[in-house]
């Protein structure tokens, strides 16, 4: 990158600090600024980036207190993603390597006028970037960003992995930025959905967070449902259908639960292939 390119990117990085102050009322900490970049990196790199900072004297930066990043509007993450995309454009159209991005951030923090709440330019020795790790199988508590139309995402918590497949608990609404959601503020869809892990392994669905607090919004071992007319020799599925646990235990459901889950009108499905689930969540809105 030329000197003018670096200067332009520095101004955009400084603008993120200004935008944070406008939204929250005070300057971000260094940790909060890097967290914004990490969340925004999802759309540029194969997985969100993480950062380490060494301060003068060899001390490792550990951040200060609780983060306020979850309170921010999507606009700041869009601007952060734009900064990373611009960096890719001026480096032959490819995302900066972790080493190149680390060098840019180190230079920016040490030489530019970025104002932060907890460190100054004299405090920073070096920023390093941890390369994203390939995720082959999601873990319980992981948060997935699932792309839908309109360049948006549905966010889902990995609730369980058992003989039925991988159960995803969805947060209501669509998100313009694939960022983590805060458990206390999240509105959960009623029933988790079982699917497979292929699109996680392929990188189409990316793990953007790990938040076990979200698990409390969903049943720990989601059941699957069976209609009463299912041909199951020797099994009584009741008048309105039944729910089956991964352990094999069966319980009969009442009419209200059967109606809510979709057994009575035939809309319920036990599981979806990944591609079909993308289409369903795109069409279902907040359901």
């Amino acid at each position: 990158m030329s000197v003018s390119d670096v200067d332009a990117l520095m101004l955009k990085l400084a603008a993120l600090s200004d935008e944070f102050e406008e939204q929250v009322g005070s300057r971000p900490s260094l940790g909060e600024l890097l967290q914004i970049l990490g969340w925004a990196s999802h759309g540029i790199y194969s997985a969100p980036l993480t950062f380490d900072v060494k301060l003068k004297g060899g001390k490792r930066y550990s951040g200060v207190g609780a983060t306020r990043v979850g309170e921010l509007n999507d606009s700041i993450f869009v601007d952060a993603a734009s900064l990373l995309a611009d960096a890719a454009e001026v480096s032959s159209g490819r995302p900066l390597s972790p080493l190149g991005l680390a060098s840019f951030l180190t230079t920016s923090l040490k030489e530019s006028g970025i104002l932060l709440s907890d460190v100054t330019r004299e405090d920073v020795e070096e920023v390093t970037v941890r390369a994203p790790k390939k995720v082959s199988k999601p873990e319980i508590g992981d948060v997935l960003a699932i792309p839908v139309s309109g360049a948006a995402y549905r966010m889902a918590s990995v609730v369980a992995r058992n003989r039925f497949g991988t159960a995803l608990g969805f947060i209501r609404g669509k998100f313009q930025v694939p960022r983590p959601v805060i458990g206390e503020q999240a509105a959960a869809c009623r029933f988790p959905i079982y699917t497979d892990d292929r699109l996680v392994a392929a990188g189409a669905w990316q793990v953007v967070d790990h938040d076990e607090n979200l698990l409390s919004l969903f049943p720990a071992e989601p059941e699957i449902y069976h209609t009463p007319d299912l041909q199951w020799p020797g099994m009584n599925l009741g008048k309105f259908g039944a729910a089956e646990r991964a352990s094999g235990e069966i319980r009969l459901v009442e009419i209200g639960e059967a109606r809510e889950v979709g057994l009575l009108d035939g809309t319920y499905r036990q599981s979806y292939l990944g591609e079909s689930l993308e289409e369903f969540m795109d069409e279902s809105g907040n359901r």
Side-chain angles (χ1 to χ4, degrees):
M1 289 189 287
S2 67
V3 172
S4 60
D5 290 331
V6 173
D7 288 344
L9 292 174
M10 282 185 182
L11 289 175
K12 288 197 170 187
L13 187 62
L16 292 181
S17 178
D18 296 339
E19 189 173 356
F20 185 102
E21 184 176 25
E22 290 174 2
Q23 293 191 25
V24 175
S26 60
R27 288 286 173 179
S29 67
L30 174 56
E32 287 170 324
L33 182 65
L34 294 176
Q35 190 176 17
I36 292 167
L37 290 173
W39 287 7
S41 68
H42 167 87
I44 309 297
Y45 294 85
S46 60
L49 301 175
T50 53
F51 304 88
D52 292 310
V53 181
K54 184 170 68 172
L55 303 177
K56 293 291 186 181
K59 182 179 179 181
R60 181 178 177 180
Y61 175 80
S62 59
V64 177
T67 178
R68 297 164 290 172
V69 173
E71 304 171 20
L72 299 171
N73 298 329
D74 282 351
S75 61
I76 194 169
F77 300 98
V78 173
D79 291 341
S82 175
L83 185 158
L84 294 173
D86 288 347
E89 184 175 342
V90 299
S91 60
S92 304
R94 296 186 299 273
L96 284 176
S97 67
L99 184 61
L101 181 58
S103 176
F104 163 69
L105 291 174
T106 299
T107 300
S108 298
L109 293 171
K110 293 174 69 172
E111 298 182 8
S112 73
I114 298 173
L115 298 177
L116 301 169
S117 66
D118 57 346
V119 299
T120 67
R121 68 178 74 185
E122 291 81 12
D123 296 325
V124 177
E125 179 69 28
E126 182 182 27
V127 178
T128 55
V129 180
R130 280 178 269 168
K133 298 179 181 179
K134 184 177 180 181
V135 177
S136 57
K137 290 184 179 180
E139 299 178 358
I140 294 173
D142 283 350
V143 179
L144 304 181
I146 297 178
V148 293
S149 63
Y153 301 85
R154 293 297 301 270
M155 307 300 292
S157 174
V158 179
V159 177
R161 303 184 74 242
N162 54 43
R163 68 184 181 91
F164 296 145
T166 297
L168 302 182
F170 281 85
I171 303 302
R172 294 188 184 277
K174 295 181 180 180
F175 296 77
Q176 294 304 309
V177 177
R179 58 170 169 146
V181 290
I182 300 175
E184 307 84 61
Q185 299 177 355
C189 297
R190 174 68 176 84
F191 298 102
I193 296 175
Y194 279 99
T195 186
D196 56 78
D197 294 336
R198 292 178 301 105
L199 295 183
V200 179
W205 296 356
Q206 294 193 19
V207 177
V208 296
D209 194 21
H210 183 87
D211 185 356
E212 297 188 3
N213 292 324
L214 290 177
L215 296 177
S216 64
L217 301 175
F218 307 99
E221 287 291 334
E223 300 164 308
I224 62 171
Y225 289 83
H226 304 292
T227 60
D229 56 355
L230 177 67
Q231 301 301 310
W232 194 341
M235 182 62 65
N236 173 26
L237 297 179
K239 183 177 181 180
F240 304 110
E244 180 183 2
R245 296 177 180 171
S247 62
E249 182 180 349
I250 299 289
R251 68 174 179 87
L252 303 184
V253 301
E254 299 296 331
I255 187 172
E257 185 176 359
R259 180 181 293 112
E260 185 178 10
V261 78
L263 287 178
L264 299 186
D265 61 9
T267 58
Y268 174 74
R269 284 182 57 175
Q270 292 180 347
S271 62
Y272 290 79
L273 291 176
E275 293 83 357
S276 299
L277 180 57
E278 279 188 4
E279 295 177 7
F280 174 70
M281 295 313 299
D282 191 15
E283 295 169 355
S284 64
N286 285 333
R287 288 183 289 167

